[in-house]
Amino acid sequence: MRPTNTRENGRFKLVGGVLCLDFANTRASRDTDNPIEYLHSYADLVAWAERVGLVDDGKHLLEVARQRPAEAEAVLTRARVLREAIYGVFSHVSAGKPVPSADLDTLNLAVTDALSRARVVARPDGFAWGWAAGPDDLDRVLWPVARSAAELLTSDALSRVRECAGDHCGWLFLDTSRNRSRRWCDMRDCGNRAKVRRHYQRRRAARTSTG
């Protein structure tokens, strides 16, 4: 099924199960003449980052972006390039095909940049990964995405990456079902429409056989 909207009540719909896959899903219907784009502006990128919990100061980022529009537009361009590389990598992985070297090279450049900003930070209950980011760094929303993709590629969960079987969907997700049989990004969306279509086809076939 072709997704009509990745937002629910103004928020991006999250079905990927992993940060990097949800980021890849900000574009849909790539196999059609009219792909659906959800990152039209830097503001959209910030809205997505707020939705997934990457930032809690979106208003500040938007104010900085208004002051530095050329930089914000450059970050948006890099975000789209990274997103398409992530999709290229994981869609090929899900299909059991060799990963395009150009997509992996693009991802590695983003990972190198992200890891150069990664830090171990002390917390009251121990230590955790953090980022050497200033409040005005417009591209800080991309660093966790790149690291997420690298972590998924090198994890045991990689074999569970799937691409939705819905017509003209193309969303990616992590199949956490016990028997690894999940086919749809969302059973309420693509899965339900597939069930309706199969029911209609069975009824039509039954009418034809009895007519």
Side-chain angles (χ1 to χ4, degrees):
M1 171 211 170
R2 179 183 173 92
T4 56
N5 202 341
T6 63
R7 299 188 179 194
E8 293 175 330
N9 300 322
R11 300 184 301 171
F12 287 90
K13 186 176 179 180
L14 307 178
V15 298
V18 184
L19 180 66
C20 60
L21 301 186
D22 280 323
F23 188 61
N25 293 344
T26 59
R27 196 179 193 213
S29 302
R30 289 175 172 88
D31 63 342
T32 71
D33 294 333
N34 297 293
I36 303 174
E37 175 63 70
Y38 296 99
L39 299 182
H40 295 285
S41 65
Y42 183 76
D44 288 333
L45 180 61
V46 171
W48 178 84
E50 289 181 318
R51 172 73 170 98
V52 298
L54 291 182
V55 299
D56 55 10
D57 58 346
K59 290 183 179 179
H60 175 75
L61 283 174
L62 293 179
E63 179 58 34
V64 175
R66 281 191 287 269
Q67 297 170 8
R68 308 198 307 243
E71 182 181 342
E73 188 64 26
V75 171
L76 176 63
T77 298
R78 292 202 300 276
R80 290 172 174 168
V81 170
L82 174 59
R83 178 192 62 191
E84 294 310 296
I86 289 173
Y87 172 78
V89 167
F90 288 106
S91 65
H92 280 75
V93 165
S94 70
K97 298 178 181 179
V99 170
S101 58
D103 288 334
L104 191 59
D105 289 345
T106 297
L107 175 58
N108 271 320
L109 286 174
V111 169
T112 298
D113 182 50
L115 293 184
S116 72
R117 316 297 184 99
R119 299 290 186 272
V120 175
V121 296
R123 292 183 174 175
D125 57 347
F127 298 87
W129 282 107
W131 303 99
D136 295 349
D137 288 334
L138 296 180
D139 59 346
R140 58 187 161 102
V141 298
L142 301 181
W143 306 339
V145 173
R147 190 176 75 182
S148 169
E151 290 174 344
L152 180 54
L153 278 173
T154 56
S155 74
D156 293 338
L158 183 63
S159 63
R160 291 182 175 266
V161 173
R162 303 283 187 270
E163 185 165 356
C164 182
D167 291 341
H168 307 307
C169 178
W171 281 355
L172 300 169
F173 61 90
L174 198 65
D175 181 5
T176 57
S177 64
R178 181 172 299 179
N179 59 0
R180 303 193 181 192
S181 61
R182 180 178 164 191
R183 299 185 60 204
W184 319 109
C185 62
D186 190 337
M187 193 60 204
R188 297 168 300 175
D189 192 347
C190 290
N192 185 59
R193 289 180 180 269
K195 286 175 62 177
V196 171
R197 185 171 58 251
R198 289 196 302 269
H199 177 69
Y200 171 76
Q201 290 172 343
R202 286 195 297 267
R203 289 187 61 186
R204 186 172 60 180
R207 287 197 300 269
T208 301
S209 63
T210 58

